[in-house]
Amino acid sequence: MNADSLKTVADTLFQAKASSAAWGWANVTANHGLSITWSGLLVVFLGLSLIALTISAFNGVSLLAQKWKALKEEKEDAVVKQPATDGPTIPEDHLIAITTAVELYRRLHLDPIRTKVTFVRGEMHTPWKTGFKYGQRIVPGKK
């Protein structure tokens, strides 16, 4: 039964195609092509507008959350951090001695060894040297 109905549909389409032009403005207007086109464009651009509004709303919510978090942290910092005014002050000479000791330790044990690699002696091994062998580059004169 399905084969018969498919054959009937195919025959109908073939006859309609043979008898009338399948392309052109007459076919577009007969099948409401312009209204379908405009409604499709409207739906697509409304969807894109909704997506843009949603993204901007998320940005606004994110900014409000960041501001609220910053205000909350400021309140906590104001309550928790109180300047320590009690206790002895460290003399300036002692601070200089401590700073010098820390800097010397850092330079001796933590900094990498400062060496300089040069190619004064020997040849530099690089793939770019092949151009000199085949005359593709001008060899600079030695001074």
Side-chain angles (χ1 to χ4, degrees):
M1 177 166 177
N2 287 335
D4 292 335
S5 63
L6 288 175
K7 187 174 188 287
T8 306
V9 170
D11 290 340
T12 307
L13 288 175
F14 182 71
Q15 288 172 0
K17 189 174 183 182
S19 64
S20 67
W23 309 104
W25 283 107
N27 191 21
V28 170
T29 55
N31 293 318
H32 307 288
L34 291 176
S35 62
I36 292 172
T37 301
W38 285 110
S39 62
L41 285 171
L42 181 68
V43 167
V44 167
F45 282 109
L46 281 176
L48 290 173
S49 299
L50 287 174
I51 290 171
L53 288 173
T54 304
I55 290 172
S56 64
F58 280 133
N59 288 337
V61 169
S62 175
L63 287 175
L64 288 175
Q66 288 175 358
K67 286 180 183 179
W68 182 71
K69 185 177 179 182
L71 287 173
K72 186 177 177 183
E73 287 176 357
E74 284 180 12
K75 288 179 182 178
E76 289 176 359
D77 289 343
V79 172
V80 174
K81 290 185 180 178
Q82 295 178 356
T85 55
D86 296 338
T89 58
I90 300 174
E92 190 174 333
D93 294 340
H94 293 214
L95 289 175
I96 293 172
I98 292 169
T99 306
T100 305
V102 169
E103 180 65 21
L104 284 174
Y105 181 82
R106 185 185 65 83
R107 285 189 183 184
L108 287 174
H109 300 289
L110 301 177
D111 280 351
I113 298 172
R114 295 178 183 163
T115 59
K116 191 173 189 180
V117 177
T118 61
F119 292 100
V120 175
R121 292 185 226 138
E123 288 192 22
M124 185 171 56
H125 298 286
T126 175
W128 290 101
K129 293 275 293 190
T130 59
F132 294 124
K133 291 180 184 175
Y134 301 109
Q136 296 170 348
R137 289 182 175 59
I138 299 172
V139 179
K142 292 186 179 182
K143 294 181 181 180

